């Protein structure tokens, strides 16, 4: 086993993948290695798992991604369209307040990181989606956690590389801390 494979940690436990699919990680990796899946596309690996082995859709994707990561074919946070990162924070504020903080351009000056944000779709108090810095996609999700407590989750997609992931993670953690401070006093 290479150093890269030894450093790999699956996103789901052995017990969970076995309970859902009938095999643990070693079992699935053995099946995929014997099928020479490392030479197949992501889509073809997932189709093989779903079609030949009857692995349910979400689990077929999970096994495929973890196999690709274990074999050095995919980096952590890497997706088909680039890299992705998410940051979330629970605050002492209701969902409507968090939603307004994202959709109200005037409030961005007080907490938003530097960069162009353009809304493409939204559902009041649920989500806001748009472009970030022209190249990236950004999604904001809002979940009530109590009467005056809610979580905001930010997902940034189409990042260039792993360095961009860590940069955006740090930028948005700082931004959400700033928003929290503004709302909570």
């Amino acid at each position: 086993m290479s150093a890269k494979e030894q450093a790999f940690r699956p996103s789901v436990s052995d017990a969970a993948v076995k309970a859902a699919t009938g095999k643990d990680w070693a079992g699935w990796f053995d099946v995929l290695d014997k099928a020479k899946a490392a030479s197949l596309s992501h889509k073809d690996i997932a189709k093989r798992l779903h079609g030949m082995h009857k692995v349910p859709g979400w689990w077929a994707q999970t096994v495929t991604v973890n196999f690709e990561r274990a074999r050095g074919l995919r980096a952590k946070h890497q997706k088909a369209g680039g890299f992705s990162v998410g940051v979330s924070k629970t605050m002492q504020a209701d969902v409507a307040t968090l939603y307004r903080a994202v959709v109200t351009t005037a409030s961005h000056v007080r907490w938003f990181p530097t960069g162009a944000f353009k809304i493409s779709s939204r559902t009041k108090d649920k989500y806001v989606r748009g472009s970030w810095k022209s190249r990236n996609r950004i999604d904001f999700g809002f979940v009530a956690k109590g009467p005056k407590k809610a979580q905001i989750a930010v997902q940034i997609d189409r990042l260039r590389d792993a360095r961009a992931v860590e940069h955006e993670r740090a930028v948005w953690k700082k931004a959400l801390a700033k928003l929290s401070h503004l709302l909570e006093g």
Side-chain angles (χ1 to χ4, degrees):
M1 185 180 281
S2 73
K4 189 175 255 187
E5 289 171 328
Q6 288 176 359
F8 168 73
R9 297 278 184 258
S11 62
V12 178
S13 72
D14 255 345
V17 76
K18 187 171 186 170
T21 67
K23 290 185 187 345
D24 62 11
W25 288 118
W28 282 119
F29 292 176
D30 186 49
V31 165
L32 292 171
D33 285 335
K34 286 178 180 168
K36 302 203 182 317
S39 66
L40 300 175
S41 71
H42 173 89
K43 185 177 181 179
D44 288 340
I45 298 169
K47 280 171 91 173
R48 178 179 289 254
L49 287 167
H50 185 68
M52 291 177 65
H53 300 282
K54 307 298 182 223
V55 177
W58 185 87
W59 283 101
Q61 291 295 324
T62 300
V63 171
T64 300
V65 167
N66 281 274
F67 172 76
E68 291 171 327
R69 286 186 52 221
R71 297 302 180 256
L73 305 171
R74 177 188 291 250
K76 190 173 182 182
H77 302 294
Q78 187 177 15
K79 292 183 174 183
F83 286 76
S84 179
V85 67
V87 177
S88 65
K89 184 154 182 66
T90 300
M91 301 180 199
Q92 295 299 319
D94 58 29
V95 167
T97 300
L98 291 179
Y99 178 83
R100 278 192 309 274
V102 172
V103 299
T104 308
T105 307
S107 75
H108 294 179
V109 174
R110 299 173 62 207
W111 73 275
F112 234 67
T114 303
F117 170 54
K118 184 178 178 191
I119 296 172
S120 60
S121 66
R122 60 183 167 185
T123 296
K124 189 176 186 311
D125 299 342
K126 299 266 187 217
Y127 75 85
V128 178
R129 296 183 179 122
S131 64
W132 174 242
K133 298 180 181 178
S134 300
R135 181 188 191 287
N136 309 119
R137 297 292 308 155
I138 191 165
D139 294 348
F140 295 89
F142 311 94
V143 178
K145 297 288 187 178
K148 283 291 217 174
K149 190 174 184 179
Q151 181 183 56
I152 181 172
V154 184
Q155 179 74 32
I156 304 103
D157 294 321
R158 298 186 191 160
L159 297 168
R160 287 182 317 280
D161 53 31
R163 272 196 351 235
V165 165
E166 295 312 318
H167 172 76
E168 288 296 324
R169 181 190 324 273
V171 163
W172 282 99
K173 274 186 166 189
K174 185 176 178 182
L176 293 183
K178 195 173 190 180
L179 176 60
S180 180
H181 179 73
L182 289 168
L183 296 176
E184 296 172 4

